[in-house]
Amino acid sequence: MSQHKSLTPLKTFLFAFFATNTIILSYIPIYLQEEIGLSGTEIGWVLAIGPLAALISEPFWGYMSDKFKTVKRILIILLSSLLLFSIVFFNVYSLGLVLAFAFFLYFFSAPVGAFGDSLAQRRADELSISFGTIRTWGSIGFAVSALLAGQYLTWAGIDNIIWPYLLFGSLALLVAFRLTDTEPSKESVSLKSVKLLFQNKRLMLFLLFIMFITISHRTSDSFIGIYIIELGGTESLVGISWFVGVISEAAIFATAAFWFRKYHTLMFIIVAGVLYTIRWFLFGMIHDPWVVIALQFLHGLTFAVLYLAAFDYITRLIPKVVQGTGHLMFHTVFFGISGIIGSLIGGPIIDHYSANALYTVLGVFALVGTILIIIYHVILNVRRA
């Protein structure tokens, strides 16, 4: 009972932060288009600022966490700063100022999700339980926020986006004070130990190959709201689409203990890659927003399976002393570099062609990534033999 009770603050934190993150991920592109009046290409610039900031902030805060042996105190600093800069971000209207304050917004928000997942992974290992059973609360928070925020913004208008953001963000900060830090490694982290991560060829190749799939995922994250609006949907339908997708994601995380360890983690990544390829090519042919919503159950079978398997694989490739930094590195590739590339290519494709054309391109990216992971898996098996 005490073990489950000790996890309550962590689960609540994941719920609250991912509910906050929903506002940025699901509705910021629509806000930038309808309230600020930006084009698809300009929206791509703003969205690319986030991953760019993450490239700087995630390794920095990951190193600071390992250096000072704490995740909890870093999270409190990040969330306090995030709330302050969000107030400014939602009250500027020129492209220059939006870009400037988007950088600071993402600089403090980008590492929070990675730290939450890292803390969940460490706590799961300490208690010998499934990481997915903890992480699923982040997905539930995302789904609930997507549905409620979509309904609220359809009623109140996209210009009121700041209020649900501050509500969930403040809850995340309050709960962060009740988090329990994990037992730190007895070894001291140094820049030399961090350098070992970059010298790990298996790790670097894996991150490079999987990036083709994660680019397709992050591009869809950025533009699916605009895609649904382009097909004739509303903010409410955007919220429903995210709700359906993330509920399926939560189901995959919640049941991970029953299916995850049965096969090699790379096999799950390959299956997710195949399903991503099918999903994006189908989206490229759709012209009805309700069909998009119906197919959103594939989100759980793609993102949740890919993320859970890749996170587990990365954890086993890196030494514990730099685990926080390693997790942040993975997060930087998954959400950072992939997000920059996806945002910069997605906007121009929508401006010059269509959202349907964008998803066809994403299908090609996912297909290439899947083939590369298959080759990676085959080479590893040959070397073991």
Side-chain angles (χ1 to χ4, degrees), residues 233-281:
T234 63
E235 287 87 353
S236 178
L237 286 185
V238 173
I240 293 171
S241 74
W242 276 108
F243 179 79
V244 172
V246 183
I247 282 297
S248 71
E249 171 191 315
I252 294 296
F253 280 129
T255 58
F258 300 102
W259 57 264
F260 180 56
R261 300 286 180 181
K262 293 185 179 180
Y263 301 98
H264 194 285
T265 50
L266 288 176
M267 289 304 300
F268 286 111
I269 293 172
I270 291 168
V271 169
V274 171
L275 292 175
Y276 263 122
T277 303
I278 295 170
R279 181 185 177 192
W280 300 147
F281 280 132

mmCIF file of all heavy atoms in Angstrom, residues 233-281:
data_model
loop_
_atom_site.group_PDB
_atom_site.id
_atom_site.type_symbol
_atom_site.label_atom_id
_atom_site.label_comp_id
_atom_site.label_asym_id
_atom_site.label_seq_id
_atom_site.Cartn_x
_atom_site.Cartn_y
_atom_site.Cartn_z
ATOM 1 N N GLY A 233 -13.138 20.536 -40.157
ATOM 2 C CA GLY A 233 -13.432 20.289 -38.754
ATOM 3 C C GLY A 233 -13.343 21.554 -37.908
ATOM 4 O O GLY A 233 -13.087 22.645 -38.409
ATOM 5 N N THR A 234 -13.567 21.415 -36.593
ATOM 6 C CA THR A 234 -13.519 22.519 -35.635
ATOM 7 C C THR A 234 -12.507 22.196 -34.543
ATOM 8 O O THR A 234 -11.959 21.087 -34.490
ATOM 9 C CB THR A 234 -14.893 22.733 -34.975
ATOM 10 O OG1 THR A 234 -15.235 21.545 -34.218
ATOM 11 C CG2 THR A 234 -15.976 22.993 -36.020
ATOM 12 N N GLU A 235 -12.276 23.178 -33.635
ATOM 13 C CA GLU A 235 -11.391 22.932 -32.488
ATOM 14 C C GLU A 235 -11.909 21.772 -31.648
ATOM 15 O O GLU A 235 -11.132 20.989 -31.089
ATOM 16 C CB GLU A 235 -11.268 24.189 -31.616
ATOM 17 C CG GLU A 235 -10.434 25.315 -32.219
ATOM 18 C CD GLU A 235 -11.247 26.222 -33.115
ATOM 19 O OE1 GLU A 235 -12.428 25.899 -33.376
ATOM 20 O OE2 GLU A 235 -10.719 27.259 -33.564
ATOM 21 N N SER A 236 -13.223 21.648 -31.547
ATOM 22 C CA SER A 236 -13.826 20.556 -30.791
ATOM 23 C C SER A 236 -13.459 19.207 -31.407
ATOM 24 O O SER A 236 -13.126 18.249 -30.684
ATOM 25 C CB SER A 236 -15.352 20.713 -30.758
ATOM 26 O OG SER A 236 -15.948 19.635 -30.074
ATOM 27 N N LEU A 237 -13.477 19.112 -32.743
ATOM 28 C CA LEU A 237 -13.108 17.860 -33.406
ATOM 29 C C LEU A 237 -11.624 17.566 -33.233
ATOM 30 O O LEU A 237 -11.223 16.408 -33.137
ATOM 31 C CB LEU A 237 -13.453 17.919 -34.894
ATOM 32 C CG LEU A 237 -14.937 17.809 -35.263
ATOM 33 C CD1 LEU A 237 -15.108 17.755 -36.777
ATOM 34 C CD2 LEU A 237 -15.559 16.575 -34.628
ATOM 35 N N VAL A 238 -10.811 18.623 -33.202
ATOM 36 C CA VAL A 238 -9.373 18.436 -32.942
ATOM 37 C C VAL A 238 -9.199 17.795 -31.564
ATOM 38 O O VAL A 238 -8.420 16.848 -31.395
ATOM 39 C CB VAL A 238 -8.611 19.778 -33.013
ATOM 40 C CG1 VAL A 238 -7.153 19.587 -32.568
ATOM 41 C CG2 VAL A 238 -8.656 20.352 -34.429
ATOM 42 N N GLY A 239 -9.942 18.310 -30.581
ATOM 43 C CA GLY A 239 -9.881 17.755 -29.232
ATOM 44 C C GLY A 239 -10.342 16.306 -29.183
ATOM 45 O O GLY A 239 -9.720 15.459 -28.521
ATOM 46 N N ILE A 240 -11.418 16.001 -29.915
ATOM 47 C CA ILE A 240 -11.928 14.628 -29.945
ATOM 48 C C ILE A 240 -10.911 13.691 -30.590
ATOM 49 O O ILE A 240 -10.699 12.563 -30.128
ATOM 50 C CB ILE A 240 -13.277 14.571 -30.700
ATOM 51 C CG1 ILE A 240 -14.360 15.312 -29.904
ATOM 52 C CG2 ILE A 240 -13.710 13.119 -30.939
ATOM 53 C CD1 ILE A 240 -15.668 15.492 -30.659
ATOM 54 N N SER A 241 -10.248 14.163 -31.657
ATOM 55 C CA SER A 241 -9.258 13.316 -32.336
ATOM 56 C C SER A 241 -8.098 12.987 -31.403
ATOM 57 O O SER A 241 -7.629 11.840 -31.351
ATOM 58 C CB SER A 241 -8.744 13.999 -33.610
ATOM 59 O OG SER A 241 -7.861 15.059 -33.310
ATOM 60 N N TRP A 242 -7.638 13.993 -30.659
ATOM 61 C CA TRP A 242 -6.568 13.749 -29.695
ATOM 62 C C TRP A 242 -7.044 12.833 -28.568
ATOM 63 O O TRP A 242 -6.307 11.956 -28.099
ATOM 64 C CB TRP A 242 -6.053 15.062 -29.117
ATOM 65 C CG TRP A 242 -5.027 15.737 -29.966
ATOM 66 C CD1 TRP A 242 -5.173 16.869 -30.710
ATOM 67 C CD2 TRP A 242 -3.676 15.319 -30.172
ATOM 68 N NE1 TRP A 242 -4.002 17.183 -31.365
ATOM 69 C CE2 TRP A 242 -3.068 16.255 -31.049
ATOM 70 C CE3 TRP A 242 -2.912 14.254 -29.698
ATOM 71 C CZ2 TRP A 242 -1.745 16.135 -31.459
ATOM 72 C CZ3 TRP A 242 -1.585 14.141 -30.107
ATOM 73 C CH2 TRP A 242 -1.033 15.077 -30.974
ATOM 74 N N PHE A 243 -8.274 13.021 -28.125
ATOM 75 C CA PHE A 243 -8.831 12.187 -27.051
ATOM 76 C C PHE A 243 -8.842 10.718 -27.469
ATOM 77 O O PHE A 243 -8.383 9.843 -26.724
ATOM 78 C CB PHE A 243 -10.244 12.653 -26.711
ATOM 79 C CG PHE A 243 -10.912 11.833 -25.638
ATOM 80 C CD1 PHE A 243 -10.611 12.037 -24.303
ATOM 81 C CD2 PHE A 243 -11.832 10.846 -25.968
ATOM 82 C CE1 PHE A 243 -11.219 11.283 -23.301
ATOM 83 C CE2 PHE A 243 -12.443 10.084 -24.983
ATOM 84 C CZ PHE A 243 -12.137 10.304 -23.653
ATOM 85 N N VAL A 244 -9.355 10.438 -28.664
ATOM 86 C CA VAL A 244 -9.408 9.056 -29.157
ATOM 87 C C VAL A 244 -8.003 8.477 -29.260
ATOM 88 O O VAL A 244 -7.737 7.353 -28.812
ATOM 89 C CB VAL A 244 -10.115 8.996 -30.537
ATOM 90 C CG1 VAL A 244 -9.992 7.595 -31.142
ATOM 91 C CG2 VAL A 244 -11.579 9.387 -30.402
ATOM 92 N N GLY A 245 -7.078 9.267 -29.834
ATOM 93 C CA GLY A 245 -5.710 8.789 -30.008
ATOM 94 C C GLY A 245 -5.006 8.508 -28.701
ATOM 95 O O GLY A 245 -4.371 7.462 -28.531
ATOM 96 N N VAL A 246 -5.145 9.430 -27.752
ATOM 97 C CA VAL A 246 -4.379 9.299 -26.511
ATOM 98 C C VAL A 246 -5.018 8.301 -25.553
ATOM 99 O O VAL A 246 -4.321 7.679 -24.745
ATOM 100 C CB VAL A 246 -4.184 10.683 -25.848
ATOM 101 C CG1 VAL A 246 -3.342 10.563 -24.599
ATOM 102 C CG2 VAL A 246 -3.497 11.635 -26.827
ATOM 103 N N ILE A 247 -6.321 8.089 -25.640
ATOM 104 C CA ILE A 247 -6.940 7.020 -24.853
ATOM 105 C C ILE A 247 -6.408 5.667 -25.313
ATOM 106 O O ILE A 247 -6.131 4.776 -24.503
ATOM 107 C CB ILE A 247 -8.487 7.082 -24.971
ATOM 108 C CG1 ILE A 247 -9.035 8.191 -24.076
ATOM 109 C CG2 ILE A 247 -9.117 5.744 -24.590
ATOM 110 C CD1 ILE A 247 -8.787 7.992 -22.583
ATOM 111 N N SER A 248 -6.239 5.492 -26.622
ATOM 112 C CA SER A 248 -5.652 4.239 -27.121
ATOM 113 C C SER A 248 -4.198 4.125 -26.660
ATOM 114 O O SER A 248 -3.712 3.035 -26.342
ATOM 115 C CB SER A 248 -5.744 4.179 -28.648
ATOM 116 O OG SER A 248 -4.855 5.092 -29.267
ATOM 117 N N GLU A 249 -3.494 5.254 -26.606
ATOM 118 C CA GLU A 249 -2.120 5.288 -26.093
ATOM 119 C C GLU A 249 -2.089 4.866 -24.630
ATOM 120 O O GLU A 249 -1.239 4.056 -24.217
ATOM 121 C CB GLU A 249 -1.567 6.699 -26.254
ATOM 122 C CG GLU A 249 -0.238 6.968 -25.579
ATOM 123 C CD GLU A 249 0.106 8.452 -25.569
ATOM 124 O OE1 GLU A 249 -0.066 9.102 -26.622
ATOM 125 O OE2 GLU A 249 0.531 8.962 -24.514
ATOM 126 N N ALA A 250 -3.015 5.409 -23.829
ATOM 127 C CA ALA A 250 -3.070 5.077 -22.408
ATOM 128 C C ALA A 250 -3.337 3.589 -22.196
ATOM 129 O O ALA A 250 -2.771 2.964 -21.290
ATOM 130 C CB ALA A 250 -4.158 5.911 -21.720
ATOM 131 N N ALA A 251 -4.194 3.013 -23.044
ATOM 132 C CA ALA A 251 -4.505 1.587 -22.934
ATOM 133 C C ALA A 251 -3.261 0.737 -23.186
ATOM 134 O O ALA A 251 -3.028 -0.265 -22.501
ATOM 135 C CB ALA A 251 -5.616 1.217 -23.915
ATOM 136 N N ILE A 252 -2.445 1.149 -24.170
ATOM 137 C CA ILE A 252 -1.216 0.408 -24.473
ATOM 138 C C ILE A 252 -0.240 0.503 -23.299
ATOM 139 O O ILE A 252 0.353 -0.496 -22.867
ATOM 140 C CB ILE A 252 -0.555 0.958 -25.753
ATOM 141 C CG1 ILE A 252 -1.448 0.694 -26.973
ATOM 142 C CG2 ILE A 252 0.829 0.347 -25.949
ATOM 143 C CD1 ILE A 252 -1.648 -0.767 -27.292
ATOM 144 N N PHE A 253 -0.059 1.712 -22.752
ATOM 145 C CA PHE A 253 0.836 1.883 -21.606
ATOM 146 C C PHE A 253 0.347 1.075 -20.398
ATOM 147 O O PHE A 253 1.139 0.439 -19.704
ATOM 148 C CB PHE A 253 0.940 3.357 -21.229
ATOM 149 C CG PHE A 253 1.886 4.155 -22.086
ATOM 150 C CD1 PHE A 253 1.482 5.342 -22.676
ATOM 151 C CD2 PHE A 253 3.184 3.726 -22.292
ATOM 152 C CE1 PHE A 253 2.342 6.081 -23.468
ATOM 153 C CE2 PHE A 253 4.066 4.457 -23.078
ATOM 154 C CZ PHE A 253 3.647 5.644 -23.679
ATOM 155 N N ALA A 254 -0.969 1.120 -20.149
ATOM 156 C CA ALA A 254 -1.532 0.466 -18.958
ATOM 157 C C ALA A 254 -1.384 -1.046 -19.011
ATOM 158 O O ALA A 254 -1.257 -1.701 -17.973
ATOM 159 C CB ALA A 254 -3.000 0.853 -18.809
ATOM 160 N N THR A 255 -1.404 -1.619 -20.205
ATOM 161 C CA THR A 255 -1.334 -3.083 -20.346
ATOM 162 C C THR A 255 0.061 -3.569 -20.714
ATOM 163 O O THR A 255 0.246 -4.752 -21.009
ATOM 164 C CB THR A 255 -2.336 -3.562 -21.409
ATOM 165 O OG1 THR A 255 -2.044 -2.911 -22.666
ATOM 166 C CG2 THR A 255 -3.769 -3.230 -21.006
ATOM 167 N N ALA A 256 1.047 -2.682 -20.681
ATOM 168 C CA ALA A 256 2.395 -3.036 -21.117
ATOM 169 C C ALA A 256 2.982 -4.219 -20.355
ATOM 170 O O ALA A 256 3.719 -5.039 -20.917
ATOM 171 C CB ALA A 256 3.324 -1.826 -20.992
ATOM 172 N N ALA A 257 2.640 -4.335 -19.073
ATOM 173 C CA ALA A 257 3.189 -5.423 -18.250
ATOM 174 C C ALA A 257 2.783 -6.795 -18.780
ATOM 175 O O ALA A 257 3.482 -7.787 -18.553
ATOM 176 C CB ALA A 257 2.720 -5.265 -16.805
ATOM 177 N N PHE A 258 1.683 -6.877 -19.508
ATOM 178 C CA PHE A 258 1.167 -8.164 -19.987
ATOM 179 C C PHE A 258 1.759 -8.577 -21.333
ATOM 180 O O PHE A 258 1.773 -9.751 -21.671
ATOM 181 C CB PHE A 258 -0.354 -8.109 -20.106
ATOM 182 C CG PHE A 258 -1.048 -7.817 -18.802
ATOM 183 C CD1 PHE A 258 -1.522 -6.551 -18.530
ATOM 184 C CD2 PHE A 258 -1.190 -8.800 -17.829
ATOM 185 C CE1 PHE A 258 -2.157 -6.264 -17.320
ATOM 186 C CE2 PHE A 258 -1.813 -8.531 -16.625
ATOM 187 C CZ PHE A 258 -2.287 -7.255 -16.366
ATOM 188 N N TRP A 259 2.225 -7.615 -22.139
ATOM 189 C CA TRP A 259 2.676 -7.971 -23.479
ATOM 190 C C TRP A 259 4.106 -7.542 -23.812
ATOM 191 O O TRP A 259 4.732 -8.114 -24.692
ATOM 192 C CB TRP A 259 1.737 -7.362 -24.537
ATOM 193 C CG TRP A 259 1.599 -5.861 -24.457
ATOM 194 C CD1 TRP A 259 0.620 -5.164 -23.817
ATOM 195 C CD2 TRP A 259 2.463 -4.871 -25.044
ATOM 196 N NE1 TRP A 259 0.818 -3.807 -23.957
ATOM 197 C CE2 TRP A 259 1.929 -3.600 -24.711
ATOM 198 C CE3 TRP A 259 3.621 -4.927 -25.821
ATOM 199 C CZ2 TRP A 259 2.542 -2.404 -25.113
ATOM 200 C CZ3 TRP A 259 4.220 -3.741 -26.228
ATOM 201 C CH2 TRP A 259 3.676 -2.499 -25.879
ATOM 202 N N PHE A 260 4.635 -6.568 -23.074
ATOM 203 C CA PHE A 260 5.842 -5.897 -23.554
ATOM 204 C C PHE A 260 7.076 -6.791 -23.592
ATOM 205 O O PHE A 260 7.857 -6.731 -24.536
ATOM 206 C CB PHE A 260 6.118 -4.645 -22.715
ATOM 207 C CG PHE A 260 7.351 -3.896 -23.146
ATOM 208 C CD1 PHE A 260 7.484 -3.452 -24.444
ATOM 209 C CD2 PHE A 260 8.390 -3.660 -22.268
ATOM 210 C CE1 PHE A 260 8.616 -2.768 -24.868
ATOM 211 C CE2 PHE A 260 9.518 -2.980 -22.667
ATOM 212 C CZ PHE A 260 9.626 -2.535 -23.969
ATOM 213 N N ARG A 261 7.313 -7.609 -22.601
ATOM 214 C CA ARG A 261 8.574 -8.360 -22.494
ATOM 215 C C ARG A 261 8.582 -9.659 -23.313
ATOM 216 O O ARG A 261 9.553 -10.397 -23.295
ATOM 217 C CB ARG A 261 8.838 -8.713 -21.025
ATOM 218 C CG ARG A 261 8.958 -7.495 -20.117
ATOM 219 C CD ARG A 261 10.264 -6.777 -20.318
ATOM 220 N NE ARG A 261 10.371 -5.609 -19.448
ATOM 221 C CZ ARG A 261 11.401 -4.782 -19.434
ATOM 222 N NH1 ARG A 261 12.410 -5.004 -20.252
ATOM 223 N NH2 ARG A 261 11.428 -3.737 -18.646
ATOM 224 N N LYS A 262 7.517 -9.940 -24.042
ATOM 225 C CA LYS A 262 7.412 -11.232 -24.721
ATOM 226 C C LYS A 262 8.320 -11.351 -25.938
ATOM 227 O O LYS A 262 8.667 -12.441 -26.356
ATOM 228 C CB LYS A 262 5.955 -11.492 -25.117
ATOM 229 C CG LYS A 262 5.047 -11.698 -23.896
ATOM 230 C CD LYS A 262 3.635 -12.070 -24.310
ATOM 231 C CE LYS A 262 2.759 -12.299 -23.089
ATOM 232 N NZ LYS A 262 1.375 -12.662 -23.455
ATOM 233 N N TYR A 263 8.673 -10.234 -26.550
ATOM 234 C CA TYR A 263 9.524 -10.257 -27.732
ATOM 235 C C TYR A 263 10.637 -9.222 -27.575
ATOM 236 O O TYR A 263 10.596 -8.390 -26.677
ATOM 237 C CB TYR A 263 8.709 -9.977 -28.999
ATOM 238 C CG TYR A 263 7.596 -10.956 -29.238
ATOM 239 C CD1 TYR A 263 6.291 -10.650 -28.853
ATOM 240 C CD2 TYR A 263 7.841 -12.194 -29.832
ATOM 241 C CE1 TYR A 263 5.259 -11.558 -29.051
ATOM 242 C CE2 TYR A 263 6.816 -13.103 -30.034
ATOM 243 C CZ TYR A 263 5.523 -12.781 -29.639
ATOM 244 O OH TYR A 263 4.516 -13.671 -29.830
ATOM 245 N N HIS A 264 11.610 -9.258 -28.475
ATOM 246 C CA HIS A 264 12.698 -8.278 -28.444
ATOM 247 C C HIS A 264 12.116 -6.890 -28.703
ATOM 248 O O HIS A 264 11.231 -6.712 -29.541
ATOM 249 C CB HIS A 264 13.730 -8.635 -29.524
ATOM 250 C CG HIS A 264 15.025 -7.914 -29.364
ATOM 251 N ND1 HIS A 264 15.174 -6.578 -29.695
ATOM 252 C CD2 HIS A 264 16.236 -8.329 -28.902
ATOM 253 C CE1 HIS A 264 16.419 -6.212 -29.460
ATOM 254 N NE2 HIS A 264 17.088 -7.251 -28.979
ATOM 255 N N THR A 265 12.639 -5.897 -27.965
ATOM 256 C CA THR A 265 12.091 -4.546 -28.082
ATOM 257 C C THR A 265 12.173 -4.001 -29.509
ATOM 258 O O THR A 265 11.296 -3.249 -29.943
ATOM 259 C CB THR A 265 12.822 -3.577 -27.132
ATOM 260 O OG1 THR A 265 14.231 -3.721 -27.310
ATOM 261 C CG2 THR A 265 12.458 -3.857 -25.697
ATOM 262 N N LEU A 266 13.203 -4.387 -30.260
ATOM 263 C CA LEU A 266 13.327 -3.903 -31.637
ATOM 264 C C LEU A 266 12.197 -4.425 -32.521
ATOM 265 O O LEU A 266 11.797 -3.766 -33.485
ATOM 266 C CB LEU A 266 14.683 -4.295 -32.233
ATOM 267 C CG LEU A 266 15.895 -3.527 -31.688
ATOM 268 C CD1 LEU A 266 17.190 -4.070 -32.294
ATOM 269 C CD2 LEU A 266 15.772 -2.037 -31.962
ATOM 270 N N MET A 267 11.652 -5.606 -32.203
ATOM 271 C CA MET A 267 10.529 -6.128 -32.970
ATOM 272 C C MET A 267 9.296 -5.239 -32.794
ATOM 273 O O MET A 267 8.546 -4.991 -33.750
ATOM 274 C CB MET A 267 10.213 -7.562 -32.547
ATOM 275 C CG MET A 267 11.253 -8.579 -32.978
ATOM 276 S SD MET A 267 11.539 -8.573 -34.778
ATOM 277 C CE MET A 267 9.898 -8.971 -35.373
ATOM 278 N N PHE A 268 9.089 -4.753 -31.579
ATOM 279 C CA PHE A 268 7.966 -3.846 -31.340
ATOM 280 C C PHE A 268 8.149 -2.539 -32.117
ATOM 281 O O PHE A 268 7.189 -1.969 -32.637
ATOM 282 C CB PHE A 268 7.833 -3.546 -29.846
ATOM 283 C CG PHE A 268 7.279 -4.690 -29.047
ATOM 284 C CD1 PHE A 268 8.079 -5.370 -28.145
ATOM 285 C CD2 PHE A 268 5.956 -5.083 -29.192
ATOM 286 C CE1 PHE A 268 7.576 -6.422 -27.409
ATOM 287 C CE2 PHE A 268 5.435 -6.138 -28.452
ATOM 288 C CZ PHE A 268 6.253 -6.817 -27.560
ATOM 289 N N ILE A 269 9.392 -2.065 -32.193
ATOM 290 C CA ILE A 269 9.677 -0.836 -32.941
ATOM 291 C C ILE A 269 9.392 -1.035 -34.425
ATOM 292 O O ILE A 269 8.823 -0.159 -35.088
ATOM 293 C CB ILE A 269 11.134 -0.397 -32.701
ATOM 294 C CG1 ILE A 269 11.319 0.022 -31.240
ATOM 295 C CG2 ILE A 269 11.529 0.751 -33.637
ATOM 296 C CD1 ILE A 269 12.761 0.282 -30.843
ATOM 297 N N ILE A 270 9.757 -2.191 -34.953
ATOM 298 C CA ILE A 270 9.503 -2.491 -36.369
ATOM 299 C C ILE A 270 8.011 -2.552 -36.649
ATOM 300 O O ILE A 270 7.526 -1.993 -37.643
ATOM 301 C CB ILE A 270 10.200 -3.813 -36.763
ATOM 302 C CG1 ILE A 270 11.722 -3.620 -36.753
ATOM 303 C CG2 ILE A 270 9.724 -4.289 -38.137
ATOM 304 C CD1 ILE A 270 12.508 -4.921 -36.846
ATOM 305 N N VAL A 271 7.253 -3.217 -35.765
ATOM 306 C CA VAL A 271 5.797 -3.291 -35.931
ATOM 307 C C VAL A 271 5.184 -1.893 -35.891
ATOM 308 O O VAL A 271 4.321 -1.550 -36.720
ATOM 309 C CB VAL A 271 5.165 -4.180 -34.830
ATOM 310 C CG1 VAL A 271 3.645 -4.050 -34.839
ATOM 311 C CG2 VAL A 271 5.565 -5.635 -35.040
ATOM 312 N N ALA A 272 5.647 -1.064 -34.945
ATOM 313 C CA ALA A 272 5.146 0.310 -34.852
ATOM 314 C C ALA A 272 5.461 1.079 -36.134
ATOM 315 O O ALA A 272 4.632 1.844 -36.637
ATOM 316 C CB ALA A 272 5.747 1.020 -33.645
ATOM 317 N N GLY A 273 6.665 0.878 -36.687
ATOM 318 C CA GLY A 273 7.049 1.552 -37.918
ATOM 319 C C GLY A 273 6.162 1.173 -39.090
ATOM 320 O O GLY A 273 5.768 2.028 -39.903
ATOM 321 N N VAL A 274 5.829 -0.106 -39.193
ATOM 322 C CA VAL A 274 4.931 -0.569 -40.264
ATOM 323 C C VAL A 274 3.559 0.078 -40.120
ATOM 324 O O VAL A 274 2.968 0.560 -41.102
ATOM 325 C CB VAL A 274 4.809 -2.110 -40.234
ATOM 326 C CG1 VAL A 274 3.711 -2.575 -41.192
ATOM 327 C CG2 VAL A 274 6.139 -2.762 -40.605
ATOM 328 N N LEU A 275 3.047 0.117 -38.889
ATOM 329 C CA LEU A 275 1.730 0.713 -38.657
ATOM 330 C C LEU A 275 1.749 2.225 -38.893
ATOM 331 O O LEU A 275 0.765 2.792 -39.391
ATOM 332 C CB LEU A 275 1.263 0.410 -37.234
ATOM 333 C CG LEU A 275 0.934 -1.064 -36.956
ATOM 334 C CD1 LEU A 275 0.586 -1.269 -35.481
ATOM 335 C CD2 LEU A 275 -0.219 -1.531 -37.840
ATOM 336 N N TYR A 276 2.855 2.897 -38.545
ATOM 337 C CA TYR A 276 2.995 4.325 -38.850
ATOM 338 C C TYR A 276 2.885 4.546 -40.367
ATOM 339 O O TYR A 276 2.203 5.462 -40.830
ATOM 340 C CB TYR A 276 4.354 4.850 -38.380
ATOM 341 C CG TYR A 276 4.358 5.537 -37.041
ATOM 342 C CD1 TYR A 276 5.173 5.077 -36.006
ATOM 343 C CD2 TYR A 276 3.578 6.663 -36.809
ATOM 344 C CE1 TYR A 276 5.210 5.714 -34.774
ATOM 345 C CE2 TYR A 276 3.604 7.304 -35.580
ATOM 346 C CZ TYR A 276 4.415 6.826 -34.567
ATOM 347 O OH TYR A 276 4.434 7.470 -33.348
ATOM 348 N N THR A 277 3.587 3.713 -41.133
ATOM 349 C CA THR A 277 3.587 3.846 -42.588
ATOM 350 C C THR A 277 2.170 3.725 -43.142
ATOM 351 O O THR A 277 1.726 4.554 -43.953
ATOM 352 C CB THR A 277 4.485 2.763 -43.222
ATOM 353 O OG1 THR A 277 5.812 2.871 -42.674
ATOM 354 C CG2 THR A 277 4.548 2.928 -44.727
ATOM 355 N N ILE A 278 1.441 2.704 -42.682
ATOM 356 C CA ILE A 278 0.057 2.502 -43.123
ATOM 357 C C ILE A 278 -0.812 3.688 -42.706
ATOM 358 O O ILE A 278 -1.620 4.205 -43.497
ATOM 359 C CB ILE A 278 -0.505 1.191 -42.539
ATOM 360 C CG1 ILE A 278 0.261 -0.009 -43.103
ATOM 361 C CG2 ILE A 278 -2.003 1.066 -42.824
ATOM 362 C CD1 ILE A 278 -0.062 -1.320 -42.416
ATOM 363 N N ARG A 279 -0.637 4.117 -41.457
ATOM 364 C CA ARG A 279 -1.449 5.223 -40.915
ATOM 365 C C ARG A 279 -1.286 6.495 -41.741
ATOM 366 O O ARG A 279 -2.276 7.130 -42.121
ATOM 367 C CB ARG A 279 -1.046 5.465 -39.460
ATOM 368 C CG ARG A 279 -1.814 6.561 -38.736
ATOM 369 C CD ARG A 279 -1.223 6.779 -37.352
ATOM 370 N NE ARG A 279 -1.893 7.867 -36.642
ATOM 371 C CZ ARG A 279 -1.423 8.402 -35.529
ATOM 372 N NH1 ARG A 279 -0.288 7.961 -34.999
ATOM 373 N NH2 ARG A 279 -2.086 9.389 -34.926
ATOM 374 N N TRP A 280 -0.046 6.874 -42.037
ATOM 375 C CA TRP A 280 0.180 8.142 -42.754
ATOM 376 C C TRP A 280 -0.297 8.075 -44.205
ATOM 377 O O TRP A 280 -0.857 9.048 -44.714
ATOM 378 C CB TRP A 280 1.652 8.520 -42.708
ATOM 379 C CG TRP A 280 2.243 8.718 -41.349
ATOM 380 C CD1 TRP A 280 3.530 8.434 -40.974
ATOM 381 C CD2 TRP A 280 1.615 9.264 -40.170
ATOM 382 N NE1 TRP A 280 3.729 8.737 -39.655
ATOM 383 C CE2 TRP A 280 2.574 9.254 -39.133
ATOM 384 C CE3 TRP A 280 0.333 9.731 -39.887
ATOM 385 C CZ2 TRP A 280 2.305 9.719 -37.841
ATOM 386 C CZ3 TRP A 280 0.049 10.181 -38.596
ATOM 387 C CH2 TRP A 280 1.021 10.174 -37.607
ATOM 388 N N PHE A 281 -0.101 6.932 -44.868
ATOM 389 C CA PHE A 281 -0.592 6.829 -46.245
ATOM 390 C C PHE A 281 -2.119 6.895 -46.290
ATOM 391 O O PHE A 281 -2.699 7.478 -47.220
ATOM 392 C CB PHE A 281 -0.084 5.544 -46.901
ATOM 393 C CG PHE A 281 1.343 5.637 -47.405
ATOM 394 C CD1 PHE A 281 2.278 4.653 -47.111
ATOM 395 C CD2 PHE A 281 1.753 6.717 -48.176
ATOM 396 C CE1 PHE A 281 3.583 4.740 -47.578
ATOM 397 C CE2 PHE A 281 3.063 6.825 -48.637
ATOM 398 C CZ PHE A 281 3.977 5.835 -48.337
#
